[in-house]
Amino acid sequence: MLKPLCVLLPVFISFQSIAKNSQYEGFSYPNKAKNAISISFDDARHSQVDTGLALLDKYQVKATFYVSPFNVKERVEKWQMAVKSGHEIANHTTSHLCTGNFEWLRKQGVSLEQITLKDIEQDILKAQDYIKHTLGIEPTSFAYPCGNTFVGRGANTKSYVPVIAKHFKTGRTWLDETANNPNFTDFTQLTSLAIDGLTFEQIKTMLEQHRTNNSWIILAGHEVGKSSQYTTDSDALEKLIVYLQNPDNGFWLDTVSNVAKYVKANRQEID
Ligand SMILES: [Zn+2]
């Protein structure tokens, strides 16, 4: 049986307004680029400064490094050089806190299922202090280890996104299926696409799939060297940089914080 029109009408009107407000609004980047793109690396793995830094600096590309202190400690001078070269250094927690499905975390009792919001805030601020004192900068960006954004489990699960919103301008997740819509994306849950183990051609195909609607694409890798599950292939990275720096390809390449700043200042927010 049909419902009376007076019941259906408000629902119809509200969907109409959602559809209107959700329409793509268009977005302009510097240098007439169609898309923004950021290259980021997680964990402060040694190969990032041993191998990756020289490659990035050769092309004067600025990347965003989400670092954890336990790795920085073993390459302090090289990380100080990364700061001097103008790369963005950002926070990735002190203890690389993520799900206890990783046994090494669960055994220490510090997996996200086992800790509280207060615990994770303290761990993040400890990393912030270390970076400030060792590298002389205060990170404004954060990457969620393993892309996990929660603490606790089941009915007691809590999101720690508000903790990131309190202390940082941006937060980045991992292994996402979308790029960021500049007019809509939540700066505390920016998406990223993994580049470890991919050839340049595979990365290019991925970019083509995600560059609709003037998206901002954030790439994320771990080691830099010979391609593997957690290693961004050096040759693929070099080809990618050359490709992104060619203005004909329509990308504006900059750090996560620099792009975020520009997007925030220029976007027409949609619901
Ligand atoms: Zn990580």
Side-chain angles (χ1 to χ4, degrees):
M1 197 178 81
L2 275 176
K3 287 186 180 175
L5 193 61
C6 59
V7 176
L8 286 173
L9 202 58
V11 176
F12 178 72
I13 289 169
S14 96
F15 276 130
Q16 282 273 309
S17 65
I18 287 169
K20 187 172 174 285
N21 291 339
S22 302
Q23 272 171 13
Y24 171 63
E25 299 284 334
F27 195 82
S28 303
Y29 292 107
N31 309 321
K32 294 182 182 165
K34 289 190 179 75
N35 297 82
I37 190 158
S38 305
I39 300 175
S40 66
F41 293 98
D42 290 5
D43 304 348
R45 305 229 182 169
H46 301 335
S47 61
Q48 293 171 13
V49 282
D50 292 349
T51 308
L53 212 52
L55 181 55
L56 294 165
D57 290 350
K58 180 180 166 187
Y59 293 95
Q60 298 185 322
V61 168
K62 309 302 175 207
T64 299
F65 293 95
Y66 292 98
V67 306
S68 284
F70 60 88
N71 275 335
V72 174
K73 277 176 188 158
E74 294 180 29
R75 295 285 193 283
V76 170
E77 280 183 19
K78 288 188 175 181
W79 283 105
Q80 286 168 340
M81 278 167 59
V83 174
K84 272 189 193 155
S85 298
H87 296 289
E88 176 177 18
I89 307 296
N91 192 316
H92 197 47
T93 75
T94 299
S95 314
H96 201 275
L97 297 173
C98 66
T99 173
N101 289 309
F102 284 109
E103 235 170 276
W104 61 280
L105 279 168
R106 188 174 73 245
K107 281 182 177 167
Q108 293 177 60
V110 295
S111 71
L112 292 176
E113 290 86 347
Q114 296 164 303
I115 64 169
T116 64
L117 285 175
K118 203 175 171 194
D119 294 332
I120 191 137
E121 187 170 25
Q122 280 173 353
D123 190 274
I124 290 164
L125 293 179
K126 203 171 147 195
Q128 198 76 343
D129 275 352
Y130 176 82
I131 295 165
K132 210 157 122 184
H133 289 114
T134 313
L135 303 178
I137 49 116
E138 194 165 358
T140 59
S141 189
F142 176 86
Y144 300 86
C146 308
N148 298 146
T149 60
F150 67 90
V151 294
R153 58 166 66 226
N156 297 317
T157 304
K158 290 192 171 70
S159 167
Y160 82 86
V161 173
V163 175
I164 299 313
K166 182 177 159 191
H167 295 289
F168 299 93
K169 290 184 176 163
T170 61
R172 198 218 72 205
T173 55
W174 190 51
L175 289 181
D176 294 290
E177 292 186 32
T178 62
N180 298 284
N181 179 321
N183 291 314
F184 181 77
T185 198
D186 177 357
F187 289 103
T188 54
Q189 292 195 79
L190 295 170
T191 68
S192 73
L193 305 173
I195 51 170
D196 289 335
L198 301 183
T199 63
F200 168 64
E201 289 305 324
Q202 287 170 325
I203 297 172
K204 205 176 139 197
T205 302
M206 185 171 76
L207 297 184
E208 290 308 319
Q209 285 166 351
H210 288 90
R211 69 180 304 184
T212 51
N213 292 357
N214 302 115
S215 63
W216 168 22
I217 300 170
I218 303 176
L219 303 174
H222 290 82
E223 306 279 359
V224 180
K226 196 173 177 298
S227 176
S228 77
Q229 189 190 356
Y230 285 104
T231 307
T232 294
D233 187 75
S234 309
D235 294 338
L237 181 61
E238 184 158 14
K239 284 179 186 160
L240 173 67
I241 290 168
V242 171
Y243 173 78
L244 295 176
Q245 287 191 325
N246 181 345
D248 294 345
N249 294 319
F251 283 98
W252 171 45
L253 173 58
D254 211 329
T255 62
V256 171
S257 284
N258 285 345
V259 175
K261 200 174 159 190
Y262 180 87
V263 169
K264 207 167 201 168
N266 291 283
R267 76 177 180 176
Q268 312 279 323
E269 291 199 31
I270 52 178
D271 297 332

